[in-house]
Amino acid sequence: MISDWSRAWRARALLRPPVAGMPVDEAGPESESEWVRRHHVRTDLAIEAREVVVEQEGPPEIPGVKVSREEVEGGSITRVDIESDAGSRIMGKVKGKYVTIEMPSLREHNSPLHEKTATLLGTEIRRFLNAWQLPPDAPVLLVGLGNWNATPDALGPKVIARCLITRHLFRYAPPQARDGLRPVAGVAPGVLGLTGMETSEIIQALVERFRPALVFCIDALAARTVERLGTTVQISDAGIAPGSGVGNRRRGITRDELGVPVLVIGVPTVIGAITIISDAWDRLSGRRSPQADLRPPGQPPGPGEASKEETLKTLLGPYLGTMIVTPKEVDALIDDLAAVLAAGINVGLHPGFTLEDPFATLQ
C-alpha cells in the first residue's frame, strides 16, 4: 500500500524541474547548486543528504530510497540505496549504493580501531566486487583525486602512495612473485589548475589505454557536521564529480562516462564555515543535538528556519560565504586516514590477502 506521504513525495519530485538539457523522463538528480540553494547545505555524504531532506521536508521514508543501519564495534555502517529517479531528485544524488562507515574515534591515534576500520572497508570493497562478479585477475585502475599541494585535499594522492601497485609485476616478475595479487595500476592526476586538463579527461585516456575492469577513485569529501570530519568513510558505486562538495563541480567520473564500473571511496576533511555556524545556531536554540537523528515524521521545520538562513547569509556571507574549514590537526589526520584507506583497499582488491591484518599490506 502506498502511503499518503509517499504519494506526496512522488508528486513533489515529479513537479521539480528536470536537469537542464535533458528530457523530462531522463532527468537525473537536480543540480548541485539547486539542491544546495533549496536546502542551504553542502555535503558529499548521502547519509547527510537524506538527513537534510527529512529534517526540512517531512517523513523518514523517501520513495525509491532504502536505508539500513548496522551497529559494529566502535561505530556503525549505514547503507543508502537510491533506486528510483524520484529518490535521486529528492536526494540530489545519483542513483546507486552508498555505504557509510562511521567511527567516531577514527580521528584518535587508535591502532586497533584503525585496523578494525580497514577490515570493514576491505569487506565492503569485496562486497561490491562480488556484486559485479569481478574475476580475481581483473585489472583495476586506482585514481587518487585531489591537489597534493593542499593538505585537506591530498588524501587521494597519499592513499595511492601507500597502496600495493602490482600491474608491472604481471609483465616483468615470475608467477610466484604475483601469487594472490590482482593487477593494479595507480595514478594521482592532480587538478585542473595544476595540469590544465580535466581529471576526467586524463582518466578517460588511461581507461582507453589500460582497459581496466574497474576504476577505483579516492577523494577528500565535504561534510555538513563537524562530527563526521575524519570519522566517516563513504563507499559508492555512483561515481563522483570532483570538487562538487565545495562548489567547484567538474565533469563527472561515472560508469556512463568511462564505460566501466566506478567505485569511489572518500572521507570528509572539510566543512563550510557558515555550515558550522548554522549547526551551532540550531544546537544553542535546542533544535538539534550533536547526535540528532531525524525529525519525527510530519513535523515541520522549526519557527524561524527561513529567517535564520537569511540572517546568516546577510551577516556572514561577505566574510564566510565561501570559506572552507578543516581541523587544525589535518596533517596528521590525512596521514592516518591514508594508511587506513590504503590498507582497506589492499585487502579488498587482492584476493590473496586476509582481512585479519590489513596494515601488513601497506607500502
Side-chain angles (χ1 to χ4, degrees):
M1 179 180 294
I2 301 176
S3 67
D4 292 337
W5 273 116
S6 182
R7 292 191 184 94
W9 275 107
R10 292 181 182 179
R12 183 181 301 164
L14 292 174
L15 288 173
R16 289 199 179 109
V19 177
M22 296 181 65
V24 173
D25 59 348
E26 295 179 10
E30 60 185 341
S31 72
E32 179 79 15
S33 59
E34 289 174 347
W35 195 90
V36 171
R37 187 163 52 248
R38 186 159 58 88
H39 293 289
H40 309 287
V41 171
R42 194 181 297 279
T43 178
D44 286 318
L45 300 177
I47 187 175
E48 290 190 337
R50 177 182 178 272
E51 290 172 354
V52 169
V53 171
V54 173
E55 286 173 7
Q56 296 184 7
E57 297 189 14
E61 297 86 10
I62 300 176
V65 178
K66 293 182 179 179
V67 181
S68 63
R69 181 182 174 91
E70 172 188 353
E71 298 296 329
V72 297
E73 181 184 353
S76 64
I77 300 177
T78 303
R79 307 179 195 280
V80 178
D81 295 348
I82 304 177
E83 300 178 338
S84 71
D85 290 337
S88 176
R89 292 170 196 156
I90 293 169
M91 292 276 289
K93 300 292 181 186
V94 177
K95 287 192 295 184
K97 299 181 183 298
Y98 299 81
V99 178
T100 306
I101 301 174
E102 294 184 86
M103 292 290 188
S105 300
L106 190 58
R107 284 171 61 171
E108 303 172 2
H109 293 288
N110 185 333
S111 296
L113 182 65
H114 287 182
E115 290 193 8
K116 173 66 175 177
T117 305
T119 297
L120 290 173
L121 178 56
T123 302
E124 294 300 327
I125 291 172
R126 291 187 179 187
R127 187 191 296 264
F128 277 101
L129 300 188
N130 291 336
W132 286 319
Q133 297 182 337
L134 213 66
D137 59 347
V140 172
L141 174 62
L142 292 178
V143 181
L145 300 172
N147 185 348
W148 50 75
N149 293 321
T151 303
D153 199 32
L155 180 62
K158 282 183 175 287
V159 170
I160 294 296
R162 306 207 66 179
C163 281
L164 191 58
I165 304 301
T166 58
R167 179 174 179 255
H168 57 294
L169 298 180
F170 286 78
R171 288 191 171 189
Y172 306 114
Q176 59 269 25
R178 56 179 188 260
D179 186 44
L181 301 177
R182 176 193 300 277
V184 173
V187 62
V191 293
L192 180 64
L194 293 176
T195 66
M197 296 178 284
E198 290 281 1
T199 303
S200 58
E201 294 175 342
I202 299 174
I203 298 173
Q204 181 71 62
L206 290 173
V207 168
E208 293 175 359
R209 176 69 176 177
F210 175 34
R211 300 190 181 281
L214 170 69
V215 172
F216 196 145
C217 298
I218 306 99
D219 198 12
L221 307 179
R224 72 172 286 230
T225 53
V226 176
E227 288 82 6
R228 287 194 169 108
L229 291 181
T231 66
T232 301
V233 183
Q234 177 175 273
I235 316 165
S236 172
D237 63 359
I240 190 171
S244 60
V246 293
N248 187 29
R249 189 182 184 93
R250 315 307 308 168
R251 180 181 170 188
I253 302 169
T254 65
R255 183 170 190 162
D256 290 340
E257 292 281 349
L258 301 179
V260 297
V262 175
L263 192 61
V264 179
I265 181 172
V267 178
T269 61
V270 296
I271 186 172
I274 284 186
T275 301
I276 296 177
I277 296 172
S278 176
D279 192 45
W281 180 307
D282 288 343
R283 295 182 187 185
L284 290 173
S285 63
R287 290 185 53 246
R288 191 158 70 88
S289 64
Q291 300 298 331
D293 191 5
L294 303 173
R295 181 181 288 119
Q299 179 177 328
E305 176 75 17
S307 62
K308 180 200 76 170
E309 301 297 345
E310 292 302 321
T311 300
L312 289 178
K313 286 193 292 185
T314 301
L315 295 179
L316 305 176
Y319 310 100
L320 302 178
T322 59
M323 181 177 290
I324 301 298
V325 181
T326 192
K328 66 177 182 178
E329 69 278 10
V330 66
D331 300 79
L333 179 63
I334 291 295
D335 287 340
D336 287 346
L337 290 173
V340 172
L341 297 191
I345 290 170
N346 286 342
V347 297
L349 289 182
H350 297 287
F353 292 138
T354 65
L355 296 169
E356 281 70 29
D357 190 13
F359 276 76
T361 68
L362 290 179
Q363 293 285 76

